[in-house]
Amino acid sequence: MSALALSVVLSFVSAVAYAAGAIVQEQVAVSSPGAQQYAPLRRPGWWAAVALNGLGALLHVVALAYGPLSLVQPLGALTIVFALPMAALFVGRKAGATAWRGAIMATVGLAGLLSLVGAAEAQSLSSAQRVAAALGTAGAVVALMVAARAVHRHPAVRSILLAMASGVAFGMSSVFTKTVAVDWTGGVSAGDLPSMAVIGVLATAGMLLSQASYRGAGLAAPLATLTVMNPVVAAVVGITMFGETFRYGSTGTALALSCGVVAAGGLILLTTERLAREHQEARAGGAKSAVPASVPAADAAERLLAQLTLPDDVPVPAPLGAPDDADPAAAPLMAYAPFCGGPYVPVGVVDRHRTRITS
């Protein structure tokens, strides 16, 4: 097998591992309480997801060693395409037509964008640039987390914001990894220890934020957002700090912007599809909980009896002591009489406040 074919195979397996890890994370998020939305450390499934994501990252790095960046990076965008059929097959979570359109648009736009990024000479970042990049990343992640907390009543929007924060953390982790790799070509030094610490912090933050993004928002929208944000952030930093450019000059730049618009449109489709589903679920839940306005909501027996109707042929007796020509329909209904499964027949009440005759 040639090196190019091996890199393609490794890229496919890496995307499958990432997709499996995302599916496991989403299942853990659904079944975990709110206090464990970021790090359900006691759940074996979460550790399985960590292992799958680690395997995907390792295979991706090995694929980059055997194949060109322009080929391996776009193939990594297939994660979302693999995740949707895998989720339908293994956990019975089927995606609608809108979700499929959004996922395909996001994948095609991302693959086109990455394929247009040209390579540049390997270079590192200065100490001032590393500090600025670390502080800027921390500020962006914190701002997205605060915004996600502010919109906690809208799970879909909250999920997208947390997935964006996770993508920023993972993308900048790749940037610092590239910086350390360039430094190590000239020998390992103690000056790289702060960068390695930043890599560990950003990778951990990305994992925790991605876990929280799957809670209450399904699989497609957060996974697509994370899949797009990670390489886009790395590409933006590569263009601004590493001197990378788009291929084919101004034409390539225009094509890259078009691909970015397509990817953003796919994410918007996924978000609106999830918001529409939440609206439908809220309406269905409201219809099930609706009760007649004339019945006290706190009394379950009253709600049950209020839904009962009497057949026309069931006689309703008049109250005891009433005149013979009294209207039986005027008899008061008793909601506290025994009910044994048959039609409810109200019973008249004996008046206990009768006038006593004294001699």
Side-chain angles (χ1 to χ4, degrees), residues 70-132:
S70 59
L71 174 66
V72 175
Q73 284 292 91
L75 289 178
L78 294 175
T79 299
I80 181 62
V81 178
F82 289 152
L84 294 184
M86 288 173 62
L89 179 62
F90 294 110
V91 298
R93 184 179 292 276
K94 297 181 180 181
T98 304
W100 270 106
R101 286 196 297 269
I104 293 175
M105 287 178 60
T107 304
V108 171
L110 175 60
L113 179 63
L114 294 177
S115 63
L116 291 170
V117 177
E121 294 183 0
Q123 56 179 318
S124 181
L125 297 177
S126 64
S127 299
Q129 287 178 322
R130 297 185 192 191
V131 172

Side-chain angles (χ1 to χ4, degrees), residues 162-230:
L162 289 177
M164 291 176 64
S166 176
V168 170
F170 277 131
M172 293 304 298
S173 175
S174 300
V175 171
F176 276 92
T177 300
K178 181 177 180 179
T179 300
V180 172
V182 172
D183 291 343
W184 282 7
T185 57
V188 181
S189 63
D192 291 325
L193 292 179
S195 297
M196 296 179 64
V198 172
I199 293 171
V201 171
L202 291 178
T204 303
M207 182 66 188
L208 299 180
L209 289 168
S210 66
Q211 177 63 56
S213 68
Y214 290 112
R215 184 174 182 82
L219 175 68
L223 179 58
T225 304
L226 174 59
T227 304
V228 171
M229 286 295 298
N230 182 354

Side-chain angles (χ1 to χ4, degrees), residues 302-332:
E302 294 285 347
R303 292 199 301 270
L304 177 62
L305 294 176
Q307 299 175 1
L308 298 177
T309 56
L310 289 176
D312 296 334
D313 56 348
V314 176
V316 180
L320 296 179
D324 295 338
D325 56 349
D327 185 10

Side-chain angles (χ1 to χ4, degrees), residues 16 29 42 74 83 90 98 109 186 195 202 235-236 253 263-264 269-270 324 329 351:
V16 171
R42 298 183 179 180
F90 294 110
T98 304
S195 297
L202 291 178
V236 169
T253 303
L269 272 181
L270 288 167
D324 295 338
D351 185 10

Side-chain angles (χ1 to χ4, degrees), residues 7-29:
S7 67
V8 172
V9 172
L10 291 175
S11 298
F12 273 93
V13 179
S14 173
V16 171
Y18 276 130
I23 293 172
V24 175
Q25 279 187 276
E26 195 267 341
Q27 292 297 304
V28 171

